[in-house]
Amino acid sequence: MMQHGCTKVTTTQKGNNHQGEQVTEKKTVNDKKENLAKRFEVSDPETAGLIRDNETEVTVVPTSFLRNGEVFLLNKFAKTRPVMVYVGIAGETFSVMLSGNPEGFSRFLASAKSEFVSRDQQIEVARGFLEWTRSSDERLEIVERVQAISPRPNLNDIQKKAFEEFREKYSKIVVSPNCTGDDPIECSLYAVHEQDLVKIGLRIFQNGKVERSETVVEKDLLIPYAL
């Protein structure tokens, strides 16, 4: 799923009356993709190839805390399942695959000269860590209220009642992400992780180090199964 607020680097189709504009736009897009691919061709040729693939959509992920870096979402529709991964670049040479790579996230924060002073920025870092470093085949969805969790289709009456009881039980427990402190910054977030409702604790240090803990709050939710 595309992240809200992202800026696409891909082309958009236009009518025949705009052929000149379309060619210029496509060249600009291809140049941007090629520049990004070059950052990875030595350290990670597979990722460089994914970026260059004509079927891959490259999206810039907006951030407020990176002073010298950028995050990109690579999205490609495949016959078996979509490919959706995050990568980061910083400075003149640093590049890293973020998906499935929490340690790489820490190195990226340091290389990008990150600055997260406000609480909003700290929450943004916490969300970024969880969303960008999850594996491409892992379900992890941050939730701010239990009502945002949808039930599995075709539940029987007993299951429907159980799901409503679950929502009622956690209606005042599941809250928006929250961060306190300075170094480390202590953050807590609720999320659906695979089939479970979990509470995640993050300790984020100003040098980029992130420590994570996770507690299962409710197992085997009556929600659609993770693909």
Side-chain angles (χ1 to χ4, degrees):
M1 178 179 294
M2 279 295 170
Q3 302 299 307
H4 294 294
C6 294
T7 302
K8 292 185 180 179
V9 177
T10 48
T11 59
T12 55
Q13 294 299 318
K14 299 184 178 181
N16 293 333
N17 293 335
H18 301 280
Q19 271 190 330
E21 293 180 31
Q22 186 173 347
V23 170
T24 301
E25 183 178 321
K26 186 172 182 179
K27 183 178 186 301
T28 302
V29 168
N30 288 340
D31 287 346
K32 289 181 179 179
K33 289 183 70 174
E34 181 59 24
N35 289 337
L36 180 60
K38 286 179 178 177
R39 299 288 291 261
F40 288 88
E41 61 186 359
V42 174
S43 61
D44 191 348
E46 184 177 351
T47 296
L50 176 63
I51 295 169
R52 288 188 173 110
D53 193 317
N54 290 333
E55 299 299 318
T56 299
E57 184 177 76
V58 179
T59 308
V60 180
V61 180
T63 62
S64 68
F65 58 87
L66 299 176
R67 291 190 294 163
N68 192 26
E70 286 185 289
V71 176
F72 297 87
L73 170 62
L74 312 181
N75 203 336
K76 177 185 177 183
F77 178 79
K79 291 182 178 179
T80 52
R81 65 185 305 159
V83 176
M84 190 179 76
V85 295
Y86 290 90
V87 300
I89 61 173
E92 296 295 324
T93 59
F94 183 87
S95 60
V96 65
M97 169 62 70
L98 295 171
S99 296
N101 187 11
E103 295 80 9
F105 178 91
S106 296
R107 291 187 288 111
F108 173 62
L109 280 190
S111 299
K113 299 180 180 178
S114 303
E115 187 174 75
F116 32 95
V117 179
S118 72
R119 290 301 177 211
D120 286 345
Q121 287 178 319
Q122 292 164 2
I123 291 171
E124 188 181 346
V125 173
R127 294 181 71 104
F129 174 80
L130 294 176
E131 292 171 355
W132 303 342
T133 66
R134 69 178 181 85
S135 300
S136 58
D137 59 351
E138 175 186 13
R139 176 203 264 170
L140 196 153
E141 302 167 359
I142 298 168
V143 293
E144 300 189 3
R145 56 191 187 93
V146 74
Q147 288 77 11
I149 303 175
S150 299
R152 189 184 307 154
N154 303 318
L155 296 181
N156 60 39
D157 290 342
I158 295 175
Q159 291 172 322
K160 288 178 181 178
K161 182 180 178 182
F163 189 82
E164 289 307 314
E165 289 174 348
F166 155 74
R167 276 184 166 174
E168 178 64 26
K169 178 180 178 180
Y170 292 102
S171 62
K172 295 181 180 179
I173 296 175
V174 175
V175 293
S176 300
N178 180 57
C179 295
T180 59
D182 295 309
D183 194 17
I185 300 161
E186 306 269 357
C187 299
S188 63
L189 308 91
Y190 285 90
V192 172
H193 194 186
E194 304 302 350
Q195 292 298 126
D196 305 329
L197 175 66
V198 301
K199 184 176 183 180
I200 299 174
L202 298 178
R203 302 180 77 223
I204 305 171
F205 296 82
Q206 292 294 338
N207 64 4
K209 180 181 178 183
V210 181
E211 296 177 349
R212 172 178 174 173
S213 62
E214 182 171 313
T215 303
V216 175
V217 177
E218 190 80 17
K219 287 186 64 66
D220 298 326
L221 301 181
L222 293 169
I223 59 175
Y225 293 107
L227 297 178

